[in-house]
Amino acid sequence: MIANEQLRSTDILSREKILSDYRLAYESRQVSLLGRRDVMGGRAKFGIFGDGKELAQLAAATAFNRGDFRSGYYRDQTFVAALGELRWTEFFAQLYAHTDLEAEPNTAGRSMNGHFATRWLDEQGLWRNQTELYNSVCDIAPTAGQIPRALGLAYASKLFRNNHALTDLTNFSHNGNEIVFATIGDASTSQGMFWEAMNAAGVLQVPLLMSVWDDGYGISVPVEYQTVKGSISKALAGFQRDGDDKGMEIFTVKGWDYAALLETYQQAAHICRTQHVPVLVHVQELTQPQGHSTSGSHERYKSKQRLAWEVEHDCNRVFRQWILENGYADNEELEAIEVEAKQLAKRARISAWDAYQASLKDDFDDALDLLQQTARHNAKSTELMAIREELRKTFSPVRRDAVSAIRKALRVLRNDTGAGRQRMKAWLERTNAENADRFSSHLYSQSPESPMLVEAVPAQFTDDSPVLDGYLLLQRYFESLFTRDERIVALGEDVGQIGDVNQGFAGLQEKFGEIRITDTGIRETTIIGQGIGMAMRGLRPIVEIQYFDYVYYTLATLTDDLATLHYRTKGGQKAPLIIRTRGHRLEGIWHSGSPMGTMLSSLRGLHVLVPRNMTQAAGFYNTLLKGDDPALLIESLNGYRLKETLPANLDEFCIPLGVPEILRSGSDLTVVTYGSMCRIVLEAAGQLAELGINVEVIDVQTLLPFDVHQVIIESVKKTNRVLFADEDVPGGASAYMMQQVVEGQNAYRYLDSAPATLSAKAHRPPYGSDGDYFSKPNADDVIETVYAIMSEADPARFPQL
């Protein structure tokens, strides 16, 4: 039976706390009401609020300790405020998209309201002491997207408790006593991320306290359409631990029952913290007084009876009645609290709006002045003053209005050489730089630990350097890595006992233990979530996605959460996770392994590395582990059995990111490629030499970043022809490389032939050697493509084949 145990007496219920909680609950409701009014009045673009959830969040916050983590839902405003981590001025500043970190320290205006983030990085981007903070991981809007990382945050506590070599990392944990408060709406529990994470939490036995805020609807869709049995606690009843069977504890509690909520969260947190057992708290009979969001009214889909029920069961209303009935205060005292709370909310709103407006005023006024001054003695005075008047009349102007006005004026003055135009250009240059910082900075690390700052250390070889299969070289590398850094953790399907499917970790679990090299279930999304959470807590996880194609299972978590984390907090949070996978030439529709264009389009914010062999992979791992950015590294699947020379400085050599390597010098044509295609292109280059064509072959090595020193353009200046070759579909990574070089490096200026791409067919390769040959580029394709380019340029010397 799913039910709470008999509630124990508690010393939490003091008159002071009760009235303090009522005050905060009332304040939170008022800012929700005012926030909706601001959206409807045009001050803000969109609003989503936590009204109706106030009491449950107050109770959860009471059980939250310093060092704990909240991986939450965008309705958690009362929760975060109760921890002292949200001022109401900050709430409104986020609603208005105020870009000043002092005004809006959560996301610097980059996320819509309700997205809260503790700044656990200092101004340099280095770690603060997380155990001294009430930690909120920056919320994300995609439903259930916050859940995979919650599993990883909790798993980190398990590692800190069970791996005694980590005890000196006291800035991140005190013996794994930290628990993770995950929150989610009841409708979002229908998502696979939630079910996968709950299953994994039960298997792993981690301190995850999952709160489900159940208000009966997912926008307009009632719970009976969302969840079997109409109840997530009933649906998860089979996960309840029982006797010797591991699982989780499940509590149910009404969202309007203040005393029961406090007691439930005390019990749940105690179990989580002391026993490292996951707990589900299903908070039922919550309401949503303003509906889902400012996008519409819930009166469209809720019956009159349901709306009346929600008024009667409003948690703040019931709390007020309970206070009066139990004699904690009289009506006059509560009315005084309410008046003060309303005034406080209004003052916060006014203060935040005034501060936001003041942040815009200088640029707005400067633009008006520039337009007026320039118009005074200018032949285009009428047009300039019309632009100024349009700007002056703008209702609730934002930064774009002033910038757009000056850009229009510069077009009007395109033939003008006067001082006014020069002042406008200088103003625009300054504001563009400032707005680049406001809106486009911190996609990658800007700290002293950025991997872009890691200096190259060449691999060293001696006459005695052994020659090994690629997988054995990686074994040597990982063994050394795990020996020298206790923070390193590896996990994934088949990583542990058998040492991964290609034996890179063979024998290492036996040496370093299951706590550091760990097998997982077949659950790619939460494998990534485990890695994100661990990386957020100072560990250095290398998580494995067995084959590159399987990254699709994880893509939502990678793109919505990990890739945007540093950006959406403007450098306030980071998760330097390394995702290891293998791809390229494996045969078959489901393992063809080169969806690189998808990664490039989705994972800006991660580095994407494509080493051609295992030596290069080891050098990149060294570089990444000295840095603090997340990365995806794709090893060449058909390279594990190829022979490589073991570097003498395997532990130290570093390959810089964004620096291509010229594998073969040539003068007739440049071929730009990466990964397994390097071997194919080099083979083709040898045969092309016999045909009188001297090809320069460049391995880009990393796609994100791409050729930061513009090595490729220097080659094109020499050869005047370029071919981009890879195994992705047409228009994928080959087109990306072409854009980077032809447009980004202005290679078109030096081309005597049209730039070309050589990619795989538009479909996935069928199974078998013939399927691979006829679907992906091979040496014959490279030879004939290069020859055709040369034949067009010099048909007499290179007649058509």
Side-chain angles (χ1 to χ4, degrees), residues 447-466:
S447 83
E449 295 178 345
S450 167
M452 298 302 296
L453 301 178
V454 175
E455 294 184 3
V457 177
Q460 297 175 0
F461 303 96
T462 68
D463 293 339
D464 299 326
S465 294

Side-chain angles (χ1 to χ4, degrees), residues 224-533:
E224 55 264 29
Y225 286 78
Q226 305 276 3
T227 309
V228 64
K229 300 184 179 180
S231 166
I232 193 61
S233 53
K234 290 180 180 179
L236 286 173
F239 286 33
Q240 173 76 43
R241 63 175 179 168
D242 182 21
D244 294 331
D245 289 337
K246 293 180 180 179
M248 65 183 58
E249 284 294 341
I250 300 176
F251 292 88
T252 61
V253 63
K254 306 301 184 187
W256 43 261
D257 190 338
Y258 177 69
L261 284 163
L262 286 172
E263 193 64 48
T264 297
Y265 274 101
Q266 292 300 308
Q267 291 182 27
H270 179 75
I271 291 169
C272 252
R273 203 177 303 279
T274 59
Q275 300 177 39
H276 272 204
V277 169
V279 179
L280 174 79
V281 178
H282 182 191
V283 184
Q284 302 169 321
E285 297 189 10
L286 289 167
T287 65
Q288 204 153 273
Q290 298 188 106
H292 171 74
S293 71
T294 55
S295 293
S297 170
H298 59 162
E299 293 178 355
R300 292 182 300 162
Y301 52 86
K302 290 179 182 175
S303 67
K304 291 182 179 179
Q305 293 79 10
R306 172 68 191 193
L307 290 169
W309 180 92
E310 291 198 5
V311 171
E312 182 180 352
H313 289 80
D314 184 299
C315 64
N316 285 8
R317 180 176 184 272
V318 176
F319 188 24
R320 192 183 200 281
Q321 293 172 339
W322 180 85
I323 291 172
L324 294 173
E325 290 170 1
N326 286 275
Y328 289 109
D330 58 28
N331 190 62
E332 185 176 345
E333 289 177 286
L334 295 185
E335 286 181 348
I337 288 173
E338 291 161 4
V339 169
E340 292 171 0
K342 282 184 179 180
Q343 292 174 344
L344 187 148
K346 289 179 180 178
R347 287 196 301 270
R349 176 186 182 233
I350 293 169
S351 177
W353 178 252
D354 288 348
Y356 171 63
Q357 290 287 288
S359 74
L360 307 176
K361 188 175 186 302
D362 286 346
D363 282 350
F364 184 78
D365 289 347
D366 285 349
L368 290 174
D369 289 345
L370 279 169
L371 288 164
Q372 183 165 322
Q373 292 169 15
T374 306
R376 282 177 183 164
H377 305 289
N378 195 288
K380 301 288 186 179
S381 176
T382 301
E383 293 172 75
L384 292 173
M385 289 304 292
I387 294 170
R388 184 186 188 279
E389 186 64 9
E390 182 182 3
L391 177 62
R392 187 187 67 80
K393 290 182 176 180
T394 303
F395 175 74
S396 293
V398 292
R399 295 187 189 280
R400 71 177 183 186
D401 296 312
V403 170
S404 181
I406 296 299
R407 293 171 76 178
K408 288 178 183 176
L410 286 171
R411 292 196 291 272
V412 169
L413 298 172
R414 60 191 178 276
N415 296 319
D416 194 302
T417 58
R421 183 172 182 269
Q422 296 307 313
R423 286 194 295 270
M424 284 186 184
K425 289 180 67 177
W427 181 90
L428 187 61
E429 184 177 348
R430 174 184 63 80
T431 56
N432 282 343
E434 292 170 352
N435 288 326
D437 175 70
R438 290 184 181 109
F439 303 110
S440 299
S441 66
H442 293 84
L443 182 58
Y444 294 94
S445 173
Q446 295 180 201
S447 83
E449 295 178 345
S450 167
M452 298 302 296
L453 301 178
V454 175
E455 294 184 3
V457 177
Q460 297 175 0
F461 303 96
T462 68
D463 293 339
D464 299 326
S465 294
V467 176
L468 306 173
D469 286 342
Y471 80 93
L472 292 173
L473 187 149
L474 282 181
Q475 276 184 27
R476 296 273 190 97
Y477 173 74
F478 286 128
E479 181 175 11
S480 173
L481 178 62
F482 275 74
T483 299
R484 66 182 191 266
D485 192 340
E486 290 288 346
R487 300 173 304 158
I488 306 292
V489 180
L491 58 87
E493 298 160 16
D494 302 301
V495 167
Q497 185 174 357
I498 69 168
D500 87 41
V501 290
N502 291 98
Q503 299 292 284
F505 282 101
L508 299 188
Q509 186 185 68
E510 184 177 353
K511 180 172 183 177
F512 295 103
E514 189 175 348
I515 196 67
R516 295 189 63 200
I517 301 176
T518 308
D519 285 316
T520 69
I522 300 176
R523 48 175 181 82
E524 283 81 5
T525 296
T526 48
I527 290 172
I528 293 296
Q530 272 182 265
I532 294 172

Side-chain angles (χ1 to χ4, degrees), residues 524-583:
E524 283 81 5
T525 296
T526 48
I527 290 172
I528 293 296
Q530 272 182 265
I532 294 172
M534 285 189 287
M536 286 176 169
R537 297 189 61 186
L539 300 176
R540 296 309 309 260
I542 300 172
V543 301
E544 181 170 307
I545 299 301
Q546 197 166 80
Y547 295 112
F548 192 12
D549 306 78
Y550 299 168
V551 173
Y552 282 117
Y553 284 98
T554 78
L555 196 55
T557 298
L558 288 175
T559 188
D560 292 332
D561 197 359
L562 181 61
T564 66
L565 178 68
H566 197 255
Y567 169 78
R568 71 180 189 269
T569 59
K570 200 180 182 185
Q573 297 186 349
K574 62 183 176 183
L577 170 64
I578 298 174
I579 302 113
R580 177 192 183 218
T581 190
R582 52 190 65 83

Side-chain angles (χ1 to χ4, degrees), residues 205-223:
Q205 292 292 282
V206 294
L208 176 64
L209 200 168
M210 180 72 68
S211 295
V212 179
W213 310 140
D214 187 351
D215 56 33
Y217 288 83
I219 307 184
S220 67
V221 181
V223 68

Side-chain angles (χ1 to χ4, degrees), residues 785-797:
T785 302
V786 170
Y787 189 91
I789 295 171
M790 298 303 297
S791 175
E792 181 187 44
D794 190 350
R797 185 179 175 194

